[in-house]
């Protein structure tokens, strides 16, 4: 092997590992006597910034501003957290897992934050969890989907208000079969890493339980961010499947939609996009009519039209000129949950990580995405109802719409407490309460 | 079976066209200047962002689609030209003659800086530039539906290969380039302005990188980090064909494109493995790639 080839290999590895570098931003709201410091971690650069990181960060910014101004609706209308203004420090999640853990340690040990709210990548969440427990640092994950966080062992200081990813796949299978009762064959295209593999595994498992006669046909796992899907579209065009499952997001989802539309794949099979909600405001009339859309819960247009949902949608849209997508909802729900826990703990004196964690366990509250119940993982993992619907572009209003929405109760699409998600599906989703 | 074979062939050609377009600039710069140019990923990304900007402008005008496509390419290549000139004259000129690793690290640093420059200019959001692909329509071949835009991509790659061959073999600049590739010092001794050849080559390479981004922009979501994927793929293609060999890049692109398409259709589990598997196999048999002969070391 030549010198140049060796350099080539080394460079390729270094380049992939560092993607776009690490940067951090800090925001300093008005100072108060004893502010509550929060570390908000999300992708601010890199490919996951646009679909998840930035909406999540914006969701945090707008909700924290409302908290500090005491303008959130009741019962969240006390200023800041229990009367103390919130100081948020925004940190980029981009970079290697080692960087993510280092930044987490910096937030806890150097910046002395009272809690960290963040993380999109399941890899980040899995890496941060043991460190959070070691440092006894209160941590609330907002977007990452892996069920393993609370299945591997009991946690004390780590919480996740947003439901885990199993709900998305089970809900997708239920909706697909409600709309296509005679389905005999389905295919899947998912990214070749944990998120894509887990999403397909859960969807396939749920389909086996709910429609044992339906057979999987083409199962594709292209490389993450590969961008060119010509061969995949051809393969699917030659498939006899009536439906296509995908958990693609952002750049990959948009590239796939452009390329499949140019070749008419969506005319041959119904596409189910478990994260499609995050793309509808960008794709608009480019999103195929009739696509089944999920939003990792009842978020965005899938949310019930409650007062708190209308409040959140308004303050977000007024500031950013675009409606909030599901990562923004997840961030808002996470901050609302933390606020309730903090103020509950504050009733017995100045809160600390232990008292807030004790207060956080098992709480229930109403957020923009519906009723949250911290029911799994010994009260550390939230469940909510989920919803799926069918996409159409309203040409008169020039707006995306999700119609024909079906809602599934939390207990219908989430495993019962104490049961691991994949085993629950494999055992036939026993105990699911769907009515 | 016939359907699958024809799908493999067409998909392989389209993917090969994409690979060749993104790799030709990289291999040209290496062939002449012996620089492994990591900034090539930035040229690709800036080309794509420039194309998306151009599409945004022409989509709001009454220009016909073909003119819009040409405007998109012209703007991207103009960006590539300016970037190439600035980086070669402002940066690389200062490190010529240094160890090759130092030069590579300089281009890597420039790549990282340019990633942030993208955020400064275009922000962290994604851009769409699908209009040319939609306007191109599609062609039905039995059960297979081909995007006409993909056919245009193959034509562009073929034209680039033809122009590169003609320019190197039959033009004065091509012969000068060949001389510099063969031996820089001897070329300089014969009065060839090697500095000028370097600058021209780097600018052309940068324009080709930007062209790659421009023609791919309608197929993808133009977003942060797109240059990273391209560097890795382009390196793989160039390593298979032989660093600095344009015909090697063409053959490397065809080999990788066809193998990947076959894997996706027949053994999708190997889709990720096949590109680097082919590269490893070629390098085991021919460590300098398919089209580069081992050269005696000068003393």
């Amino acid at each position: 092997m030549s010198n140049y080839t060796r350099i080539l290999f080394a460079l390729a590895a270094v380049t992939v590992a560092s993607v776009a570098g690490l940067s951090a931003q800090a925001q300093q709201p008005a100072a108060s006597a004893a502010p509550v410091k929060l570390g908000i971690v999300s992708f601010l650069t890199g490919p996951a910034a646009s679909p998840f990181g930035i909406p999540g960060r914006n969701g945090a910014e707008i909700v924290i501003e409302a908290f500090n101004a005491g303008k959130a609706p009741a019962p969240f209308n006390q200023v800041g957290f229990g009367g103390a203004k919130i100081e948020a420090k925004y940190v980029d999640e981009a970079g290697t897992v080692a960087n993510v853990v280092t930044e987490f340690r910096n937030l806890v040990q150097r910046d002395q934050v009272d809690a960290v709210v963040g993380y999109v990548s399941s890899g980040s969440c899995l890496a941060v969890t043991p460190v959070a427990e070691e440092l006894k640092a209160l941590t609330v994950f907002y977007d990452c989907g892996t069920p393993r966080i609370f299945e591997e062992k009991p946690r004390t200081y780590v919480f996740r208000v947003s439901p885990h990813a199993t709900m998305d796949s089970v809900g997708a299978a239920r909706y697909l079969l409600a709309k296509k009762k005679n389905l005999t064959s389905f295919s899947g295209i998912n990214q070749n890493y944990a998120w894509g593999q887990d999403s397909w595994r859960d969807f396939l498992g749920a389909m086996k339980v709910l429609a044992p006669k339906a057979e999987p046909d083409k199962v594709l796992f292209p490389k993450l961010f590969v961008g060119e899907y010509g061969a995949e579209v051809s393969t699917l065009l030659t498939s006899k499947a009536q439906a296509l499952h995908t958990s693609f997001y952002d750049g990959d989802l948009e590239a796939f939609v452009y390329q499949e539309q140019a070749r008419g794949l969506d005319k041959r099979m119904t596409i189910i996009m478990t994260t499609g909600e995050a793309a509808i405001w960008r794709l608009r009339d480019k999103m195929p009519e009739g696509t089944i859309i999920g939003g990792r819960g009842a978020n965005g247009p899938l949310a019930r039209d409650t007062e708190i949902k209308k409040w959140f949608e308004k303050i977000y849209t007024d500031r950013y000129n675009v409606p909030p997508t599901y990562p923004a909802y997840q961030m808002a729900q996470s901050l609302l949950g933390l606020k309730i826990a903090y103020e509950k703990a504050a009733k017995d004196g100045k809160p600390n990580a232990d008292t807030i964690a004790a207060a956080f366990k098992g709480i229930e509250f109403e957020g923009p995405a519906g009723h949250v119940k911290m029911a799994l993982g010994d009260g550390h993992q939230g469940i909510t109802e989920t919803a799926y619907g069918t996409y159409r572009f309203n040409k008169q209003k020039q707006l995306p719409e999700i119609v024909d929405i079906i809602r599934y109760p939390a207990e219908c699409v989430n495993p019962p407490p104490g049961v691991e998600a994949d085993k629950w599906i494999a055992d036939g989703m026993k105990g699911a309460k769907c009515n | 079976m016939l359907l699958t074979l024809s799908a493999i062939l067409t998909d392989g050609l389209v993917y090969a066209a994409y690979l060749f377009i993104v790799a030709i600039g990289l291999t040209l710069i290496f062939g002449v200047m012996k620089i492994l140019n990591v900034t090539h990923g930035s040229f690709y990304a800036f080309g794509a962002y420039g194309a998306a900007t151009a599409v945004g402008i022409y989509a709001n005008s009454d220009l016909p689609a073909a003119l819009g496509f040409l405007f998109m390419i012209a703007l991207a290549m103009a960006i590539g030209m300016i970037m190439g000139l600035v980086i070669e004259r402002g940066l690389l000129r200062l490190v010529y003659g240094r160890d090759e690793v130092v030069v590579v690290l300089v281009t890597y640093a420039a790549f990282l800086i340019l990633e942030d420059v993208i955020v400064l200019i275009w922000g962290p959001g994604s851009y769409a530039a699908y209009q040319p692909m939609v306007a191109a329509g599609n062609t039905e071949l039995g059960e297979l539906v081909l995007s006409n835009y993909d056919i245009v991509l193959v034509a562009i790659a073929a034209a680039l290969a033809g122009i590169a061959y003609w320019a190197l073999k039959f033009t004065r600049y091509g012969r000068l380039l060949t001389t510099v590739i063969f031996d820089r010092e001897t070329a300089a001794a014969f009065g060839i302005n090697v500095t000028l050849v370097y600058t021209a080559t780097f600018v052309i390479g940068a324009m080709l990188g930007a062209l790659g981004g421009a023609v791919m922009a309608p197929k993808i979501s133009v977003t942060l980090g797109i240059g990273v994927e391209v560097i890795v793929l382009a390196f793989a293609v160039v390593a298979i064909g032989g660093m600095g060999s344009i015909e090697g890049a063409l053959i490397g692109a065809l080999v990788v494109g066809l193998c990947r398409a076959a894997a996706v259709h027949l053994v999708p589990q190997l889709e990720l493995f096949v590109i680097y598997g082919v590269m490893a196999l070629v390098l085991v048999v021919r460590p300098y790639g398919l089209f580069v002969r081992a050269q005696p070391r000068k003393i």
Side-chain angles (χ1 to χ4, degrees):
Chain A
M1 195 182 285
S2 69
N3 277 343
Y4 290 121
T5 312
R6 274 192 219 106
I7 294 166
L8 182 159
F9 276 121
L11 263 172
V14 171
T15 306
V16 168
S18 58
V19 187
L22 201 74
S23 64
Q25 289 179 301
Q27 184 199 345
Q28 301 291 331
S32 71
V36 177
K37 290 183 184 175
L38 293 185
I40 307 290
V41 189
S42 188
F43 283 106
L44 304 179
T45 58
S50 173
F52 306 133
I54 301 296
R57 180 225 175 272
N58 290 348
E61 182 179 65
I62 204 81
V63 168
I64 289 170
E65 276 183 25
F67 285 168
N68 282 339
K71 288 184 177 172
F76 305 102
N77 51 352
Q78 200 173 355
V79 169
F81 278 180
K85 291 270 177 92
I86 301 165
E87 278 183 8
K89 178 168 184 177
Y90 295 92
V91 174
D92 194 351
E93 190 182 338
T96 63
V97 171
N99 277 335
V100 169
V101 170
T102 303
E103 288 294 330
F104 179 82
R105 284 186 182 277
N106 286 342
L107 280 172
V108 175
Q109 295 176 315
R110 187 186 63 200
D111 301 324
Q112 305 259 308
V113 298
D114 296 289
V116 176
V117 183
Y119 303 105
V120 170
S121 158
S122 288
S124 301
C125 289
L126 288 166
V128 161
T129 297
V131 185
E133 293 291 321
E134 172 206 325
L135 299 178
K136 299 184 176 179
L138 190 67
T139 304
V140 185
F141 296 139
Y142 89 100
D143 182 60
C144 59
T146 176
R148 286 164 51 194
I149 304 289
F150 303 102
E151 290 179 349
E152 287 178 345
K153 58 163 70 173
R155 309 295 181 189
T156 305
Y157 299 96
V158 176
F159 292 82
R160 181 168 53 193
V161 173
S162 313
H164 59 57
T166 298
M167 180 179 84
D168 310 324
S169 300
V170 175
R174 289 195 186 280
Y175 188 88
L176 174 64
L177 293 168
K179 294 294 152 194
K180 289 191 172 291
K181 293 188 169 60
N182 299 319
L183 187 90
T184 55
S185 177
F186 57 97
S187 291
I189 182 165
N190 292 279
Q191 292 148 325
N192 196 2
Y193 81 111
W195 164 253
Q197 297 273 2
D198 290 353
S199 293
W200 174 251
R201 182 201 62 200
D202 287 351
F203 179 75
L204 183 63
M207 289 296 286
K208 279 182 181 168
V209 172
L210 300 170
K213 289 183 182 168
E215 290 289 327
D217 185 14
K218 306 288 184 187
V219 181
L220 304 172
F221 287 104
K223 185 173 178 288
L224 183 66
F225 304 137
V226 72
E228 161 63 47
Y229 300 103
E232 284 81 0
V233 172
S234 289
T235 306
L236 294 166
L237 282 170
T238 61
S239 156
K240 301 297 177 199
Q242 297 135 296
L244 174 69
H245 167 273
T246 183
S247 58
F248 274 16
Y249 55 82
D250 191 48
D252 280 356
L253 179 64
E254 290 176 25
F256 180 72
V257 167
Y258 299 146
Q259 291 172 39
E260 71 78 13
Q261 274 202 325
R263 300 172 67 185
L265 180 68
D266 58 277
K267 303 284 186 293
R268 297 195 185 182
M269 59 183 70
T270 301
I271 304 178
I272 312 136
M273 299 178 182
T274 59
T275 70
E277 185 270 336
I280 59 174
W281 302 104
R282 284 184 44 72
L283 285 173
R284 300 174 68 81
D285 61 341
K286 289 288 125 228
M287 177 69 88
E289 295 270 323
T291 299
I292 294 173
I293 299 286
R296 304 232 30 230
N299 298 305
L302 294 165
R304 290 179 192 271
D305 212 17
T306 59
E307 286 305 312
I308 193 164
K309 181 255 186 182
K310 283 191 264 188
W311 163 76
F312 177 62
E313 193 174 60
K314 183 175 186 318
I315 60 168
Y316 190 100
T317 310
D318 285 351
R319 171 67 64 86
Y320 303 109
N321 298 318
V322 63
T325 49
Y326 76 76
Y329 276 78
Q330 289 174 320
M331 178 59 87
Q333 301 252 110
S334 302
L335 288 167
L336 292 172
L338 181 58
K339 180 176 169 70
I340 287 176
Y342 187 97
E343 289 172 1
K344 194 173 156 191
K347 286 175 185 166
D348 300 322
K350 183 169 168 49
N352 57 45
D354 288 294
T355 57
I356 300 169
F360 213 146
K361 278 178 72 168
I363 57 168
E364 295 186 34
F365 65 95
E366 297 295 331
H371 185 78
V372 178
K373 189 175 178 183
M374 301 297 284
L376 305 183
D378 192 27
H380 287 244
Q381 167 66 61
I383 58 171
T384 65
E385 69 169 8
T386 193
Y388 271 82
T390 301
Y391 185 78
R392 80 169 183 199
F393 186 71
N394 186 325
K395 287 179 184 160
Q396 281 184 323
K397 294 182 183 172
Q398 287 291 300
L399 284 176
E401 286 179 352
I402 300 178
V403 297
D404 213 1
I405 294 171
I406 300 181
R407 300 182 183 281
Y408 299 99
E411 288 80 7
C412 175
V413 286
N414 285 288
V419 180
E420 287 183 18
D422 54 345
K423 287 182 184 162
W424 176 63
I425 294 174
D427 290 344
M429 298 192 278
K430 287 176 187 159
K433 296 173 189 165
C434 295
N435 296 313
Chain B
M1 192 60 195
L2 191 64
L3 179 66
T4 306
L5 278 178
S6 42
I8 290 172
L9 188 64
T10 51
D11 295 339
L13 278 178
V14 171
Y15 198 68
Y18 155 61
L19 292 176
F20 180 70
I21 293 169
V22 299
I24 184 173
L26 185 77
T27 205
L28 179 71
I29 289 172
F30 184 85
V32 176
M33 304 167 77
K34 303 291 178 282
I35 290 174
L36 257 178
N37 179 32
V38 183
T39 325
H40 196 69
S42 304
F43 299 150
Y44 174 90
F46 272 77
Y49 274 94
T53 305
V55 167
I57 294 168
Y58 104 81
N60 294 323
S61 70
D62 294 329
L63 284 171
L67 266 184
F69 182 70
L70 290 178
F71 175 48
M72 180 182 97
I73 288 183
L75 183 64
M77 291 184 77
I79 290 173
M81 185 174 76
I82 294 165
M83 286 180 73
L85 212 52
V86 169
I87 289 173
E88 200 278 334
R89 286 289 83 196
L91 193 66
L92 293 181
R93 182 174 61 90
L94 307 175
V95 292
Y96 286 150
R98 298 279 185 91
D99 190 282
E100 63 206 32
V101 176
V102 172
V103 182
V104 169
L105 287 175
V106 166
T107 66
Y108 180 58
F111 168 78
L112 292 179
I113 292 166
L114 288 169
E115 282 287 298
D116 281 346
V117 173
I118 287 176
V119 180
L120 286 176
I121 298 174
W122 285 283
S126 308
Y127 287 80
Y130 55 80
Q131 287 86 344
M133 194 164 73
V134 172
N138 58 39
T139 303
E140 289 193 28
L141 288 177
E143 279 191 61
L144 213 57
V145 183
L146 301 178
S147 162
N148 292 341
Y149 191 82
D150 284 344
I151 298 170
V152 171
L153 265 190
V154 174
I156 289 174
L160 272 182
I163 290 169
Y165 180 80
W166 169 78
L168 280 175
K169 300 284 179 192
F170 301 109
T171 65
R172 181 173 175 274
Y173 177 73
R175 284 193 285 270
L176 291 180
L177 210 64
T178 309
T179 312
V180 175
I181 290 170
F182 186 73
D183 193 314
R184 180 193 169 185
E185 287 164 10
T186 310
F190 275 89
I192 295 173
N193 187 344
V194 174
T195 307
L196 185 64
V197 170
Y198 271 25
T199 305
T201 303
F202 195 83
V203 169
I204 291 169
M207 289 168 74
L208 288 169
L211 173 69
V215 296
M216 282 305 289
K219 296 189 68 173
I220 60 174
S221 170
V222 179
T223 190
L224 294 173
I226 54 172
V228 178
E229 179 68 27
V230 163
I231 294 175
V232 179
L233 271 178
F235 277 162
V237 168
V238 168
I240 290 170
M243 305 292 294
S245 163
I246 287 175
E247 60 267 45
L250 182 63
I251 299 300
L254 280 169
V255 169
V256 170
L258 290 169
C259 288
R260 181 181 176 273
V264 171
H265 282 274
L266 304 174
V267 203
Q269 298 89 332
L270 296 184
E271 179 257 333
L272 189 59
F273 166 80
V274 76
I275 296 174
Y276 305 103
V278 168
M279 183 176 80
L281 195 67
V282 168
L283 293 180
V284 166
V285 181
R286 288 186 63 87
Y288 292 90
L290 292 172
F291 279 79
V292 174
R293 289 184 193 151
Q295 291 178 352
R297 180 180 291 177
K298 289 180 192 173
I299 297 172

